[in-house]
Amino acid sequence: MKYNTLRLKSNILLLPNELLAEICENLSPQDLYSLSSVCKELRHFLWSDKSIITQQVWRISRNKFYPNLKSIPLVGMSEQQYVWFTVLAKQCQFCKESNKNLLKRYWEFQIICCDECLNKRIESRQTLVTKYNVPEDVLSTCLSLGNRGYLLSHIKSAQMEYSKAIDKDSWVTHKQMEIINQKCIIISILFDEFRSDYKPMTTIS
């Protein structure tokens, strides 16, 4: 059995990328994830977020097996991350809690987690301004959960970019446009989820 598996793997790796992609396009996202764990070569092929061929494989697989997922991924999110986050993720990213009644997807932060873990990682707008002296310009470039607050890791990343920006006004404007675009995509994704049969855990802020 082990010999046959190794032989099959070797045969697959001998295929041209275009032919390998054509085969993979007929596999479900679950099967693609399984295949990517067979060896580092297949993982490199199926996990590249820069390869046009790889992104096409995952997009075709998603469209074929989850036709209700018509929206494009969020800015900065690969096709692999998108289908994992939307369909395949079944536990909290931080504590590994798997009780679906305790989990929610937060598209604003691109995380799936329980309330306990989320509360450890968010902070209110007032606290960020008064206690941490975060500029309003920085806050305006980050998505939030309304009154619940902002993801601290996003704020820290935005602060670092803001501090390095030479033309801060242009940077803020560009980031604010990105936020508007992200919100539009999130609305489209939530609409897809509402229409779909797979009934994922989600939240609307």
Side-chain angles (χ1 to χ4, degrees), residues 8-94:
L8 176 61
K9 185 183 80 171
S10 298
N11 289 339
I12 290 176
L13 294 177
L14 290 174
L15 296 174
N17 282 351
E18 292 76 12
L19 183 54
L20 179 57
E22 188 173 338
I23 293 172
C24 289
E25 288 167 2
N26 292 291
L27 300 177
S28 70
Q30 290 92 332
D31 289 334
L32 290 175
Y33 269 96
S34 297
L35 187 60
S36 69
S37 64
V38 169
C39 64
K40 64 180 181 181
E41 290 86 358
L42 286 172
R43 182 169 182 82
H44 176 75
F45 175 75
L46 289 171
W47 213 245
S48 173
D49 58 359
K50 301 291 192 298
S51 168
I52 296 176
I53 292 178
T54 298
Q55 294 306 299
Q56 176 179 294
V57 166
W58 285 91
R59 182 167 54 254
I60 291 176
S61 174
R62 168 171 62 84
N63 290 336
K64 183 175 295 185
F65 290 89
Y66 297 97
N68 285 325
L69 293 179
K70 301 181 184 302
S71 299
I72 61 173
L74 294 176
V75 176
M77 178 179 269
S78 68
E79 283 286 342
Q80 302 97 306
Q81 292 171 322
Y82 181 44
V83 74
W84 174 85
F85 188 73
T86 310
V87 180
L88 305 180
K90 305 296 183 183
Q91 61 183 16
C92 174
Q93 293 177 218
F94 308 108

Side-chain angles (χ1 to χ4, degrees), residues 103-107 190 193 200-204:
L103 301 176
K104 288 183 180 178
R105 280 185 177 82
Y106 297 95
W107 282 102
L190 293 179
E193 291 183 352
M201 305 80 69
T202 190
T203 180
I204 303 177

Side-chain angles (χ1 to χ4, degrees), residues 134-203:
V134 178
E136 288 285 352
D137 276 350
V138 171
L139 292 177
S140 71
T141 66
C142 297
L143 288 168
S144 73
L145 290 178
N147 293 331
R148 291 192 68 180
Y150 298 77
L151 192 66
L152 287 172
S153 61
H154 284 188
I155 294 298
K156 291 177 182 178
S157 177
Q159 278 187 295
M160 186 174 297
E161 287 188 37
Y162 182 75
S163 66
K164 294 178 180 179
I166 298 175
D167 186 343
K168 288 181 167 44
D169 288 340
S170 295
W171 179 86
V172 169
T173 299
H174 174 72
K175 287 295 183 179
Q176 287 174 341
M177 293 301 294
E178 279 190 359
I179 291 297
I180 293 173
N181 186 34
Q182 292 282 60
K183 287 181 176 179
C184 291
I185 297 175
I186 289 173
I187 290 172
S188 178
I189 290 172
L190 293 179
F191 182 68
D192 283 349
E193 291 183 352
F194 178 76
R195 295 184 307 176
S196 69
D197 295 327
Y198 60 86
K199 299 178 181 177
M201 305 80 69
T202 190
T203 180

